[in-house]
Amino acid sequence: MEGNKVKKRSLIKKLLATTLSVAMIVSMLPSISSPLTVQAQTPTPEVRDINLGTGGIGNPIKPTDIRDEWKGSYVYFGSYNDTAIKFRVLNSNETAYGGNTLFLDCDSVVELVKFDADNIANSGASNPNEWAYSDIKAWMNSTFDSNSGGHVNSSNVSISGFLNQFTSAEQGAIASSTRTLASDLYNSNTWIEGNLSWTSLSGEKVFALDAREAATLAYGYSETNEGATNKVKKNSSGSAAYWWLRSPSTDHAHDAGAVNSAGYFSYYLVDSSIFGVSPALNLNLSSVLFTSASETSKSSSFAAVGSDKVSENTWKLTLKGTNSDLEASKTSGNTMLTEGYTGENLTIGHSEATTLEDASQVSAMLTNSDGTVLYYGKVNSDTSATSSNVTIPAGLAVGSYNLYVFAEDVNDGNLTDYASALGTAISITVNAAPTVTSVALTPATKSIQKGSSETFEATVLGTNSPAQTVTWTVEGNT
């Protein structure tokens, strides 16, 4: 009887130990307050010489030494005196100035213009070095021509407003920039803080950089007021030049910030005649249909897109010239293809390319499912045509593809190109070739009396819907 009590106590101890172990394990499990969400990663398009949107354009490389040159992507946008303007891309997806934009800073000094021509405060300003009321801001954002704008350069020669030389589509693509805070721009530089005031933006289309923007590592600029090679810019003759900032001097009402020819920050009299303008602006990402590597031919026939020029990292933009598309649709040809096909000629019906002003051709673009541009080129030089032929080349891998047919205005050199909206893509599908694994016979066996008949049914089994055509033979006793 006593032995049973001992056994019972031992069993109770074991149960308690087990219960405690379970409790400890449960207490150690992480608490989950909400269900876990698993998201599939979106494939990244391969960068080629032609890319949808702003594909291929990246952010600057942060300098580690003041002797480092500025390194990053360049784009051509707009023109000044009939020469395409080359910009540094400070941010390929900027959000600090309102909207999603390409933040661009001119790679050169385009014109010598005084910050304030007479060194007297303009109407509304307390001092002549206030950006908001300055002559330089007025010139940068002016569309007046040289005969009516009242703008002069440092030599007192009448010049057109900077924006006057941009097309209407280019002007429409430039975002109005607003920025009130600079706290996220750079690590505190005591010289800048003590000598040049931060200046907000309040809707400018074009502006000069503030000293803090020009000292931000993420923008490719060294965080120093000392001479930095990455801040050096050249004029049209190829010489290193002085360029204005929009930052006023903190102590001198007649001085504005600038960068000298050796890349040093300083401040100078606002009516100095040796300083030039290096414009900055934000470009709406939604206005860019696609990019092409500089010097890539866009008037050639529809062909494979390579990547020979990607390493140069200099891009030309194609802007949306009209919201209308060509309403392209397939009128003949097969868009459901099978692996091993030998090429397929499609006839594409569409509206006239003249819906785009100054259209020079009908173009086509073939992309894969992740958006990589595989083929691109001219498919019709007759802009009044209402149909074009596009040959889907042999050799596409199994998968889904998109074909776009659109109007395009292709311009010389690095001048901006324009296109109609791409519209709804024509879907192209390449299916895997079918394989046969066996043939099922119904009935599988059957005894037939001489002189009688029997119906057999054959089903071809395999992958990707093999053809059901079979050849019948009878072997054995007859």
Side-chain angles (χ1 to χ4, degrees):
M1 190 69 179
E2 186 67 31
N4 288 338
K5 289 182 180 179
V6 171
K7 288 180 181 179
K8 182 179 275 188
R9 284 197 296 269
S10 176
L11 180 59
I12 291 171
K13 287 181 179 179
K14 288 181 179 179
L15 288 172
L16 285 170
T18 302
T19 302
L20 287 170
S21 296
V22 172
M24 289 176 67
I25 292 171
V26 171
S27 67
M28 292 171 65
L29 289 173
S31 61
I32 301 176
S33 58
S34 59
L36 294 175
T37 301
V38 179
Q39 294 181 334
Q41 188 173 2
T42 303
T44 302
E46 178 187 341
V47 177
R48 298 195 175 189
D49 290 343
I50 304 282
N51 304 283
L52 282 173
T54 56
I57 298 175
N59 290 327
I61 297 172
K62 295 179 180 179
T64 58
D65 188 276
I66 62 173
R67 293 166 293 184
D68 291 342
E69 294 185 352
W70 191 90
K71 295 179 182 178
S73 296
Y74 294 91
V75 300
Y76 283 96
F77 177 70
S79 63
Y80 190 72
N81 293 336
D82 299 322
T83 300
I85 304 174
K86 187 178 183 180
F87 285 90
R88 302 172 179 183
V89 179
L90 302 192
N91 193 331
S92 61
N93 189 4
E94 181 65 80
T95 57
Y97 296 84
N100 295 89
T101 63
L102 274 180
F103 184 19
L104 306 180
D105 179 31
C106 192
D107 187 50
S108 61
V109 173
V110 298
E111 184 72 72
L112 294 181
V113 177
K114 296 177 181 179
F115 195 95
D116 188 85
D118 58 10
N119 203 351
I120 299 173
N122 291 328
S123 177
S126 299
N127 300 307
N129 64 357
E130 294 179 39
W131 159 259
Y133 304 96
S134 66
D135 293 343
I136 192 175
K137 175 195 170 184
W139 175 75
M140 281 185 174
N141 290 274
S142 171
T143 58
F144 291 119
D145 62 31
S146 58
N147 296 319
S148 59
H151 302 293
V152 295
N153 61 17
S154 293
S155 300
N156 208 35
V157 175
S158 293
I159 55 175
S160 299
F162 180 70
L163 280 179
N164 174 266
Q165 299 193 42
F166 285 67
T167 67
S168 58
E170 288 171 334
Q171 292 178 32
I174 300 173
S176 296
S177 296
T178 299
R179 185 163 196 169
T180 57
L181 300 177
S183 57
D184 61 332
L185 282 172
Y186 74 116
N187 294 328
S188 181
N189 181 297
T190 55
W191 187 92
I192 295 174
E193 290 299 324
N195 291 275
L196 297 174
S197 297
W198 161 253
T199 301
S200 299
L201 295 171
S202 56
E204 289 91 331
K205 287 274 194 176
V206 188
F207 51 92
L209 292 183
D210 181 87
R212 290 146 190 80
E213 292 162 334
T216 296
L217 280 176
Y219 292 160
Y221 294 125
S222 295
E223 294 177 324
T224 177
N225 60 296
E226 298 177 358
T229 303
N230 44 72
K231 293 183 177 70
V232 174
K233 297 184 179 183
K234 296 180 179 181
N235 56 27
S236 58
S237 63
S239 300
Y242 291 65
W243 50 284
W244 291 113
L245 300 168
R246 70 175 187 273
S247 311
S249 166
T250 55
D251 297 323
H252 306 281
H254 295 270
D255 290 355
V259 179
N260 70 17
S261 58
Y264 283 84
F265 284 144
S266 191
Y267 47 85
Y268 302 87
L269 288 172
V270 292
D271 58 350
S272 296
S273 60
I274 63 171
F275 291 87
V277 179
S278 185
L281 55 87
N282 280 285
L283 190 63
N284 287 311
L285 292 180
S286 59
S287 295
V288 183
L289 288 176
F290 58 96
T291 60
S292 54
S294 176
E295 299 182 3
T296 297
S297 174
K298 296 183 69 182
S299 298
S300 302
S301 299
F302 188 68
V305 175
S307 54
D308 297 344
K309 298 181 176 65
V310 168
S311 61
E312 297 174 14
N313 208 6
T314 302
W315 304 93
K316 178 179 179 178
L317 303 180
T318 299
L319 300 183
K320 185 190 296 184
T322 173
N323 288 322
S324 301
D325 63 73
L326 294 191
E327 300 178 344
S329 61
K330 182 206 74 172
T331 56
S332 69
N334 189 10
T335 56
M336 296 293 292
L337 307 174
T338 301
E339 185 180 18
Y341 71 97
T342 57
E344 183 70 20
N345 186 52
L346 304 180
T347 299
I348 308 298
H350 54 75
S351 56
E352 293 185 8
T354 52
T355 185
L356 174 69
E357 185 178 359
D358 298 324
S360 58
Q361 65 188 47
V362 178
S363 301
M365 178 185 291
L366 183 69
T367 70
N368 64 11
S369 57
D370 65 24
T372 300
V373 180
L374 305 178
Y375 290 83
Y376 163 85
K378 177 175 65 177
V379 294
N380 205 328
S381 57
D382 181 2
T383 57
S384 64
T386 55
S387 69
S388 299
N389 294 322
V390 180
T391 299
I392 304 301
L396 290 179
V398 172
S400 300
Y401 302 85
N402 289 318
L403 177 67
Y404 300 95
V405 176
F406 50 94
E408 193 168 7
D409 172 19
V410 177
N411 293 296
D412 295 335
N414 289 307
L415 296 176
T416 303
D417 294 332
Y418 306 93
S420 62
L422 298 183
T424 303
I426 298 169
S427 297
I428 310 291
T429 302
V430 179
N431 295 307
T435 59
V436 176
T437 55
S438 62
V439 178
L441 195 63
T442 305
T445 60
K446 184 71 175 180
S447 296
I448 307 173
Q449 297 296 324
K450 185 176 181 179
S452 62
S453 64
E454 182 68 34
T455 299
F456 290 85
E457 182 177 307
T459 302
V460 181
L461 304 177
T463 62
N464 303 314
S465 304
Q468 296 298 307
T469 303
V470 296
T471 301
W472 294 88
T473 61
V474 178
E475 298 179 359
N477 294 329
T478 58

